Amino acid sequence: MKQETRQKPRACRSMQEQRPKPKCALIPSSRIVGGTEAVNGAWPWQVSLQISKQHMCGGSIISQNWILSAAHCFQKYSNPVIWRVYYGDVRLSQMTHYKDIQRIIIHENFHSETNDNDIALLKLKTPLSFTSRVLPVCLPNASVNISAGSQAWITGWGALYSTGPSPNILNQAQVTIYDREACNAPHVLSGSVTQTMICAGKLDGGVDTCQGDSGGPLVMKAENLWWLVGDTSWGYGCAQKNKPGVYGNVIYFNDWIFKQMKVKYQHIRNI
C-alpha cells in the first residue's frame, strides 16, 4: 500500500445503548496485505480478541460495554470465558489491558457456508475507560453516504500475505468500496456478495485483509467522523486481482445491533 498521511480524525465518544447523536473527541494520528504500520492512537477502537494470549480475531469498540466483531470468529470457540479483549496499543506484545467477556451474541441468521449475516456482539463484563488510545467508532446512519468509489481503511494484525506470518504491530491500508453489482461480476466474486455484505479492496490486487484480520474494522471518514461500515468477513485468498475482501455490511445490521444492545443490556441489569 502507498503510505498515506492521515490528518487528526474524530472518533465517536461514549455511546449509550440507544441511538444518540454521536459525541466526538479529537484523536491523534500519525500489515494487512499491502499495508503500513499504524501508530498508537490512530485507530483507538481496534481491539485484539485473544484466547490464551494468542490473537485470534479483530473487533471494534462501539461503546464502553460493547465490541462488534464477526460471527465466524466464534463458530468453534463460543464460550465467552475463554476469550479476552485486549486494547490500547498497536503492539500485541505491549498489550497489557484487557477485558473479560460476559456474553457473545452471534447473529441468529448467520450462515457458515455463505457467510451471510457475519456479525457478532460482545458484551464486556466491566466497561472500558476511554482515553486517547481507547475510543469508540461511530455506527453509520442514513446520513452517511457509503457509495461506490468511496475510500475506506482496514486495520488488523492478520497475515502479511496468504498463509504468511502475522505482524506484532497493527497494520493499516486504504481500500476502495465497490458496489454490489461490480463485486458480483462473474470474473470478480460471481454473485456471492449478498445485501448483508459489502466488498472493498483494490481490483488490481495488492491490498487486502487476510487471515487473522477477521472481525476487524472497515472504516470511512465522513462528516468529520469515522464510521464503522464493515467487519472483516471473507475473501478468496488475500490481495488477489479481481478478488476484493468482503465485509459484514454494518449499516444493514444497524437495527439488529441496537436491539441486541438494548435488550441484552436491560436483561443483564435486571439480574
Side-chain angles (χ1 to χ4, degrees):
M1 185 198 82
K2 293 181 180 178
Q3 188 153 359
E4 304 285 343
T5 301
R6 298 179 59 242
Q7 296 178 343
K8 291 183 178 180
R10 291 176 180 266
C12 272
R13 195 180 277 170
S14 179
M15 293 177 63
Q16 303 300 322
E17 275 56 35
Q18 297 178 6
R19 292 176 185 250
K21 293 180 180 179
K23 297 179 181 178
C24 304
L26 285 171
I27 59 174
S29 68
S30 39
R31 239 174 278 244
I32 297 276
V33 178
T36 57
E37 292 180 348
V39 298
N40 274 321
W43 314 103
W45 45 81
Q46 174 82 51
V47 300
S48 168
L49 306 180
Q50 301 188 14
I51 296 177
S52 301
K53 296 185 177 180
Q54 180 180 352
H55 173 79
M56 303 293 286
C57 280
S60 302
I61 298 169
I62 57 172
S63 82
Q64 288 181 301
N65 297 290
W66 294 91
I67 306 297
L68 189 151
S69 188
H72 76 264
C73 289
F74 309 100
Q75 271 188 283
K76 188 175 181 180
Y77 304 107
S78 58
N79 186 349
V81 173
I82 66 175
W83 290 89
R84 281 180 173 174
V85 178
Y86 282 81
Y87 61 93
D89 206 290
V90 295
R91 290 174 173 80
L92 291 175
S93 61
Q94 298 296 316
M95 280 188 162
T96 57
H97 299 291
Y98 67 85
K99 293 289 183 180
D100 291 319
I101 298 172
Q102 185 167 37
R103 185 171 301 187
I104 298 173
I105 306 170
I106 297 172
H107 197 286
E108 61 275 13
N109 294 324
F110 170 62
H111 195 290
S112 59
E113 292 185 8
T114 63
N115 288 301
D116 243 350
N117 301 294
D118 193 6
I119 189 171
L121 291 173
L122 314 180
K123 172 66 171 63
L124 302 178
K125 279 191 175 182
T126 57
L128 293 160
S129 297
F130 290 153
T131 69
S132 62
R133 293 187 182 184
V134 184
L135 287 170
V137 63
C138 297
L139 292 174
N141 53 47
S143 69
V144 181
N145 181 24
I146 307 172
S147 57
S150 297
Q151 296 301 296
W153 288 81
I154 49 177
T155 50
W157 289 278
L160 301 179
Y161 53 88
S162 187
T163 71
S166 296
N168 178 50
I169 300 177
L170 183 72
N171 270 236
Q172 60 192 19
Q174 193 171 35
V175 294
T176 301
I177 294 176
Y178 299 106
D179 62 36
R180 195 167 294 114
E181 183 178 359
C183 296
N184 280 327
H187 67 289
V188 185
L189 297 176
S190 192
S192 298
V193 179
T194 71
Q195 63 181 347
T196 75
M197 307 170 191
I198 187 171
C199 86
K202 300 291 183 183
L203 290 180
D204 290 336
V207 179
D208 197 6
T209 45
C210 205
Q211 295 93 350
D213 290 318
S214 291
L218 169 72
V219 298
M220 63 175 288
K221 190 176 183 182
E223 302 172 6
N224 208 31
L225 296 173
W226 285 95
W227 302 91
L228 180 65
V229 298
D231 64 277
T232 303
S233 180
W234 64 276
Y236 290 102
C238 302
Q240 295 182 19
K241 184 177 180 179
N242 288 325
K243 303 298 177 187
V246 184
Y247 304 79
N249 185 0
V250 172
I251 198 166
Y252 176 88
F253 296 115
N254 238 3
D255 289 340
W256 180 86
I257 292 168
F258 282 103
K259 180 181 178 182
Q260 303 308 312
M261 291 171 71
K262 184 177 180 181
V263 173
K264 302 299 181 181
Y265 183 65
Q266 288 177 342
H267 171 72
I268 291 168
R269 286 176 59 187
N270 292 335
I271 291 177

